[in-house]
Amino acid sequence: MKTRITRTFQCSAVLTAAGLVLAACGSSGDSGREQAGAGSFEGRGPITYAAGKDTTGTLQPVLDRWNELHPEEKVTLVQLPTDADAQRQQMIQNAETKSDAYTVLSLDVVWTSEFAAHQWIDRLPEQHFPLGKMLKPVVETAKYRGGLYAVPASSDGGMLYYRTDLLKKAGIAGPPKTWAQMKDACAEVRKLPEGKGMSCYAGQFQKYEGLTVNFAEAVNSAGGVVTDADGTPDVDTPAARKGLDFLAGSFKDGTIAREGITYQEEDSRQAFQSGKLLFLRNWPYVYSLAQKSKVAGKFAVAPLPGLNGPGASSLGGHNLALSSFAKNKATALDFMKFFSSEQTTRAFLEDASLAPPYAGLYDEPALVKQYPYLPVLKESVLRAVPRPRVVQYGDVTSAMQQEAYAALNGTKSTEQALTDLQKALKNAMGQ
Ligand code: GLC
């Protein structure tokens, strides 16, 4: 029988075998009204959760906990590829065929507008989620035309991982604030016996969403923009060129090793963990994995460097969205509440160093003591620059990837790449 969901939730903390403290959310009676604009959420029973491959190993225990508490409404993980573009492709195919195979989607923060405008995901009732306790820019990523279409589950801010042991040995006082300082530091470390043959820097430069992120960061960190405050493309500028020149020049002068052009997040993490790299741009999930690697205790994180001072990260992260074509939406809404709760995101922070959407967790003294990177991460998220928020995101990101890639592998000058990108972005956005 279908039940209309107009309920409040009660959550209590429980300890799982994996050491995760989770919110056991149940529903209690009828109260509250659904928000105008948000549809009805009916049906209880099994659901699925479609998400990119879990590289942290902490996801399944959370789903197991939900399943223990909800034996009639179990969630099954549909594991999608690690590559963000491939995830998006599969989710879109699923939506275009109106398939009910995916119930809750782990939606990259940049896809909200596209999925909402196509009505592939449902508008959600805001009053069910404690959005006021979350970081504002993070909540904004879940909105489209003023409506809530997803719930923040984890945020992401790029940070600079660096080898504290080697900088110290080379007599360098602290992490670099500028790209020039970073190159100087590499030159000093390479003079050490331990630094011989080391690569200086890596990020994510394969032709996929990670390149869009790294390209936009370079542009923003040089004082440029991809789109201006009104969302109009404005990337054919001297400032943006300085950003792209840093990346293209780094491939030419060996600051970034040639193989860096094939790196996604995981490849670059492995390179850092194996001791090959002095500096790495990556997301917070790397912190807890690297703590269990050969470089444990030998690294720290700092804000990304930029042209004349600290740079700016692209805003990353994942939100939970509800597929419009799914069954059992009442269960799905309960699951989304459980998965995005402060308790669950705290567990993901504690066990996998994922950036929580909740502002308060970044300042809790005990957590900061355990994870000294939290203040850097909070700054990174708060100062992060969103990628273009457009319905045509697929065309926009593919243009950014294509032009940045051409400049990095030297088949186009940075000047030409930016001129071509400006045109392509205008086209994609119908301007
Ligand atoms: C991370 C970020 C996401 C970004 C992706 C790029 O998963 O959270 O926002 O698009 O990396 O590879």
Side-chain angles (χ1 to χ4, degrees):
M1 200 186 75
K2 288 189 168 182
T3 43
R4 197 179 163 81
I5 209 186
T6 47
R7 299 161 189 264
T8 55
F9 295 83
Q10 291 174 333
C11 299
S12 60
V14 260
L15 200 65
T16 70
L20 294 163
V21 180
L22 294 182
C25 300
S27 29
S28 72
D30 287 357
S31 75
R33 281 256 157 107
E34 276 168 24
Q35 189 133 325
S40 61
F41 299 91
E42 298 177 343
R44 294 200 164 270
I47 57 169
T48 62
Y49 175 52
K53 190 171 180 311
D54 172 32
T55 44
T56 68
T58 52
L59 175 59
Q60 193 56 50
V62 174
L63 304 184
D64 290 346
R65 183 63 192 152
W66 166 268
N67 289 341
E68 268 170 45
L69 296 164
H70 305 85
E72 306 298 318
E73 300 171 83
K74 284 193 175 160
V75 63
T76 305
L77 176 63
V78 180
Q79 197 139 232
L80 303 179
T82 18
D83 173 332
D85 300 65
Q87 293 164 24
R88 177 176 162 274
Q89 278 312 326
Q90 278 188 228
M91 287 183 186
I92 291 179
Q93 266 169 26
N94 196 71
E96 281 177 338
T97 56
K98 298 190 169 28
S99 160
D100 63 5
Y102 304 164
T103 316
V104 176
L105 307 174
S106 171
L107 213 63
D108 197 309
V109 290
V110 282
W111 304 333
T112 313
S113 303
E114 183 180 26
F115 278 64
H118 285 94
Q119 299 181 327
W120 293 330
I121 52 177
D122 282 353
R123 184 165 173 186
L124 301 173
E126 291 193 20
Q127 79 276 15
H128 282 293
F129 305 98
L131 303 176
K133 292 171 79 181
M134 295 182 179
L135 296 167
K136 255 213 166 103
V138 175
V139 175
E140 281 308 304
T141 67
K143 293 195 166 173
Y144 173 66
R145 295 195 169 174
L148 186 75
Y149 283 86
V151 190
S154 63
S155 184
D156 247 348
M159 304 186 293
L160 186 73
Y161 290 78
Y162 67 98
R163 289 285 298 275
T164 44
D165 57 333
L166 297 178
L167 287 200
K168 198 170 168 207
K169 263 213 170 115
I172 300 163
K177 292 198 170 67
T178 65
W179 293 325
Q181 286 171 5
M182 183 167 82
K183 291 190 183 198
D184 289 348
C186 287
E188 289 308 310
V189 168
R190 277 172 171 161
K191 288 182 195 155
L192 301 171
E194 302 89 327
K196 281 225 159 60
M198 271 187 97
S199 277
C200 177
Y201 175 68
Q204 295 75 43
F205 304 112
Q206 202 188 100
K207 202 174 181 187
Y208 79 116
E209 188 61 32
L211 179 56
T212 298
V213 164
N214 281 255
F215 163 72
E217 278 171 359
V219 167
N220 293 320
S221 300
V225 294
V226 175
T227 51
D228 66 16
D230 302 327
T232 308
D234 191 18
V235 78
D236 194 6
T237 62
R241 189 163 162 210
K242 283 183 185 148
L244 187 53
D245 278 343
F246 158 68
L247 291 181
S250 293
F251 272 101
K252 270 202 197 114
D253 70 15
T255 302
I256 305 176
R258 220 40 244 163
E259 65 190 34
I261 199 102
T262 65
Y263 282 0
Q264 295 198 359
E265 280 81 2
E266 281 295 89
D267 316 284
S268 58
R269 173 175 75 83
Q270 299 292 355
F272 186 73
Q273 289 186 179
S274 70
K276 271 202 266 181
L277 263 180
L278 185 56
F279 296 108
L280 166 70
R281 178 261 170 239
N282 214 325
W283 305 107
Y285 85 97
V286 167
Y287 195 95
S288 86
L289 293 173
Q291 284 292 24
K292 294 169 203 142
S293 79
K294 188 170 140 188
V295 298
K298 298 179 180 170
F299 72 91
V301 294
L304 295 175
L307 180 65
N308 297 316
S313 165
S314 293
L315 182 58
H318 289 85
N319 300 328
L320 304 178
L322 176 54
S323 163
S324 303
F325 313 104
K327 292 197 183 81
N328 298 330
K329 291 187 177 180
T331 298
L333 207 58
D334 281 2
F335 173 74
M336 290 162 83
K337 173 102 181 164
F338 160 85
F339 199 88
S340 65
S341 68
E342 189 167 327
Q343 290 94 327
T344 303
T345 60
R346 173 193 289 272
F348 279 126
L349 166 62
E350 287 179 349
D351 290 15
S353 60
L354 297 190
Y358 293 91
L361 294 182
Y362 290 85
D363 306 321
E364 259 186 36
L367 284 174
V368 177
K369 198 167 170 214
Q370 190 182 358
Y371 296 115
Y373 68 89
L374 277 178
V376 173
L377 177 56
K378 186 179 185 188
E379 264 314 289
S380 167
V381 170
L382 285 176
R383 298 185 59 236
V385 182
R387 282 160 276 171
R389 281 202 179 116
V390 288
V391 173
Q392 312 84 342
Y393 189 75
D395 296 336
V396 163
T397 189
S398 103
M400 286 165 76
Q401 292 169 30
Q402 186 172 319
E403 298 305 334
Y405 196 77
L408 300 196
N409 70 20
T411 54
K412 252 188 207 184
S413 68
T414 53
E415 195 175 13
Q416 190 63 49
L418 292 177
T419 304
D420 293 350
L421 179 56
Q422 173 72 8
K423 273 192 217 134
L425 291 179
K426 283 195 152 185
N427 257 342
M429 296 185 198
Q431 292 171 351

